[in-house]
Amino acid sequence: MQQPVHSRDRTFDVAKQLQRLTSFEGGSSLASLAAECKPEFDDIGKRNVTAILGQAAELNCFVKHPGNRVVSWIRQKDLHILTSSIFLYTGDGRFSVKHPEASNEWTLKIKYVQQHDDGVYECQVNTEPKMNLAYVLKVEERAPVPATTITPNAIHRTFNSAAQAKIVGPEDVYVKKGSTISLTCTVNVQSTPPSSVLWHHGVSVVDFDSPSVHRRGGVSLETEKTESGTTSRLLVTQARLTDSGNYTCIPSNANPASVMVHVLNGEHPAAMQHGGSCGVAPTILLATFTLVVSNLLR
């Protein structure tokens, strides 16, 4: 006759199964596996970065064993989330994040750096408590070298810091698709007005007479020189999404000024997705253990 299984024996069997499932060769356990997967910063990147006004900057953050945690970039002065995972959470298209697949790298990239980009940025991991690593970006001014034929004896001139262009209005301009982009640049040089004022869209010169712009149509440039200074106006009608980007006003005898234009079409940021493989093994083991225990207790 089969002997009944007492509750004490059943408890003992459960304990043995628990020990077998949570112990591995070399004395490892679920707890130790989880500890090995704890995220940590690999502090190999420069944390004090100097960028030249109008050029690009990169802040390199390296996170080992992120697992299913999310790596984000935060601008400290206004606590604005710039990126989260590989997604952009700012309307400023100059920002992006570089994360090569299966790498530890999460690099914040900033195109056409402006003076207001100067400050502290944080690379953050959503652990509990949160992990963060601060980076300091310093923006320095450097006037452009006037266009000229380069010879061995060419003299590279820089302009007095008082000679400065300024674009009227906010640093970020938002316009609806199909409306008009209107930008006004003033130059505070009265004694010697600039011989020319150029506008750049990204790295390309905006020129009404150029074939590519002329075929587009709806672009006009107007420069006015008065006793109070020089004013240059750029109008782009029937704004397209491709008209978004950085616009820079470059006088021939003064430091440039830039503004970021955002042409909106009603898009919304993609839903945040994240994932990782570091915590997969512990998750599977815990699920298996739960199944075994439930079967033993039936």
Side-chain angles (χ1 to χ4, degrees):
M1 180 176 178
Q2 187 177 6
Q3 297 296 323
V5 178
H6 298 290
S7 60
R8 179 179 298 177
D9 295 332
R10 180 177 294 178
T11 302
F12 179 72
D13 288 342
V14 172
K16 284 178 31 178
Q17 292 287 351
L18 174 61
Q19 183 178 11
R20 181 171 65 83
L21 282 168
T22 59
S23 298
F24 305 91
E25 185 178 353
S28 299
S29 65
L30 284 176
S32 63
L33 278 175
E36 290 173 5
C37 286
K38 181 179 179 180
E40 60 179 303
F41 289 112
D42 193 354
D43 195 5
I44 59 175
K46 291 173 58 179
R47 294 175 59 191
N48 288 281
V49 177
T50 300
I52 302 300
L53 184 70
Q55 297 186 7
E58 291 191 358
L59 306 179
N60 306 115
C61 180
F62 297 87
V63 181
K64 297 191 293 187
H65 315 306
N68 63 349
R69 284 85 171 186
V70 178
V71 179
S72 304
W73 277 99
I74 315 293
R75 185 167 53 206
Q76 193 180 81
K77 66 181 177 182
D78 57 2
L79 299 180
H80 187 87
I81 299 174
L82 299 171
T83 69
S84 185
S85 184
I86 60 173
F87 301 101
L88 189 64
Y89 281 85
T90 173
D92 191 339
R94 297 178 303 124
F95 289 86
S96 63
V97 62
K98 181 177 75 172
H99 173 56
E101 189 175 356
S103 75
N104 297 331
E105 179 185 355
W106 300 84
T107 294
L108 181 68
K109 304 178 72 174
I110 311 173
K111 296 188 297 183
Y112 312 114
V113 169
Q114 302 301 303
Q115 199 64 58
H116 64 271
D117 294 323
D118 195 283
V120 179
Y121 295 78
E122 287 188 0
C123 178
Q124 190 178 97
V125 185
N126 69 333
T127 52
E128 188 57 47
K130 286 185 173 62
M131 297 169 50
N132 58 72
L133 197 62
Y135 292 75
V136 178
L137 176 64
K138 182 180 180 183
V139 179
E140 294 185 349
E141 292 187 11
R142 187 181 69 181
V145 177
T148 183
T149 303
I150 299 177
T151 66
N153 298 321
I155 300 175
H156 291 255
R157 296 188 293 119
T158 57
F159 302 114
N160 188 303
S161 59
Q164 177 67 53
K166 180 181 179 181
I167 296 180
V168 179
E171 296 168 337
D172 286 87
V173 176
Y174 297 87
V175 298
K176 291 182 180 180
K177 180 181 176 182
S179 61
T180 298
I181 301 171
S182 178
L183 303 176
T184 300
C185 176
T186 61
V187 185
N188 63 350
V189 180
Q190 300 177 8
S191 57
T192 307
S195 58
S196 66
V197 178
L198 297 179
W199 284 88
H200 280 229
H201 176 205
V203 296
S204 302
V205 177
V206 178
D207 184 356
F208 178 78
D209 294 325
S210 67
S212 60
V213 175
H214 188 73
R215 282 199 300 268
R216 182 207 185 284
V219 178
S220 63
L221 295 170
E222 178 185 341
T223 300
E224 181 182 3
K225 298 179 182 179
T226 65
E227 294 181 356
S228 59
T230 299
T231 300
S232 177
R233 295 184 180 86
L234 171 65
L235 291 176
V236 182
T237 60
Q238 295 297 313
R240 306 171 182 177
L241 298 181
T242 52
D243 293 325
S244 296
N246 182 272
Y247 285 79
T248 304
C249 168
I250 308 177
S252 60
N253 65 342
N255 294 312
S258 295
V259 67
M260 193 71 188
V261 173
H262 309 269
V263 180
L264 305 180
N265 192 31
E267 304 97 334
H268 298 282
M272 185 170 65
Q273 301 175 8
H274 54 271
S277 58
C278 188
V280 170
T283 301
I284 295 174
L285 289 170
L286 284 172
T288 305
F289 166 69
T290 303
L291 180 61
V292 171
V293 170
S294 63
N295 288 333
L296 288 171
L297 292 176
R298 284 178 181 174

